[in-house]
Amino acid sequence: MEQGLTIEQGLTVTILGCGSSGGVPLVGCQCAVCKSDNPKNKRSRASILLKQRGKKLLIDTSPDLREQLLRQNLSTVHAILYTHAHADHTHGIDDTRSLNYNAGRALDIYGDAKTMADLQTRFPFRFREALPEYGTHKLIANIVEAVATHEIAGFTVQLFNQIHGKTTSLGIRVGNFAYSTDVSSLDDAAFAALQGVEVWVVDCLKTTPSHTHSHLEQTLQWIKRVRPKRAILHHMSHEFDYETLRKKLP
């Protein structure tokens, strides 16, 4: 479910998708959550949209991107920032062609060096001009440092490293908002970057530990340490029934 959040100074965050890599319902699953009629148990793959002063920054391109864009009536963005290169966060990249066409220009995307290299290897056609008349309909890769503050499409974006199993992902902070998807461990530098955040969207895959994602007990410990005014659980699997979980949370 999408959720529009007004943070500060006109910054609005929309959660386009909050599900795990398989989405919820999971294909072929007959569990109570996957068969639930509650719309809050319908979770497309993880992606969010930031809006501020007329600018739009898309975070990740999930395999459900087309559906997410249509639900939001979203035809253009000013840039895309990738947290990491895993399929559930990148494989909607072909649907960004519509964003190019509607804007009539090439589209800048941002990520760390590994993510940009992986995307250009997997999807080379999105980074080249197949025909001269399609020159404005490509993606332009921009490498950003993993621990730094960058100006991206009018947004001041502070990035920090997150452990994601055997790899890493980018944590993102814009003003008093932070986004921590796909994270199994946070170091002291990450917690320092999160200091004073007011709204935090944070990974919580399931109730039991995972080697690539945070689980409920650990995420609640993190929230207690960071002390945001509002925390929103993210990247949730079909283990979580919305109403059951809501009654358990502080």
Side-chain angles (χ1 to χ4, degrees), residues 14 25 40 58 84 95 114 153 155 161 166 181 188-189 198 219:
T14 301
K40 293 184 178 180
L58 178 65
H84 63 302
D95 291 330
K114 182 180 185 306
F155 293 82
N161 260 327
K166 294 182 179 180
T181 190
D188 288 340
E198 294 186 359
T219 297

Side-chain angles (χ1 to χ4, degrees), residues 21 46 59-62 80-91 110-116 118-119 122-123 161-165 167-172 179-183 203 212-213 234-235:
S21 60
I59 311 296
D60 291 338
T61 56
S62 90
I80 301 171
L81 173 60
Y82 284 95
T83 58
H84 63 302
H86 283 171
D88 56 320
H89 292 259
T90 61
H91 280 204
Y110 297 81
D112 62 25
K114 182 180 185 306
T115 298
M116 291 297 96
D118 284 352
L119 291 180
R122 286 187 233 158
F123 307 99
N161 260 327
Q162 303 178 146
I163 303 301
H164 180 30
T167 185
T168 60
S169 65
L170 294 179
I172 297 167
Y179 183 57
S180 293
T181 190
D182 290 58
V183 52
D203 192 9
T212 53
H213 290 268
H234 190 68
H235 212 287

Side-chain angles (χ1 to χ4, degrees), residues 31 60 70 72 93 95 116 123 132 196 198 239 244 246:
C31 76
D60 291 338
L70 288 170
Q72 289 294 313
I93 195 170
D95 291 330
M116 291 297 96
F123 307 99
E198 294 186 359
E239 283 194 18
T244 302
R246 184 181 63 83

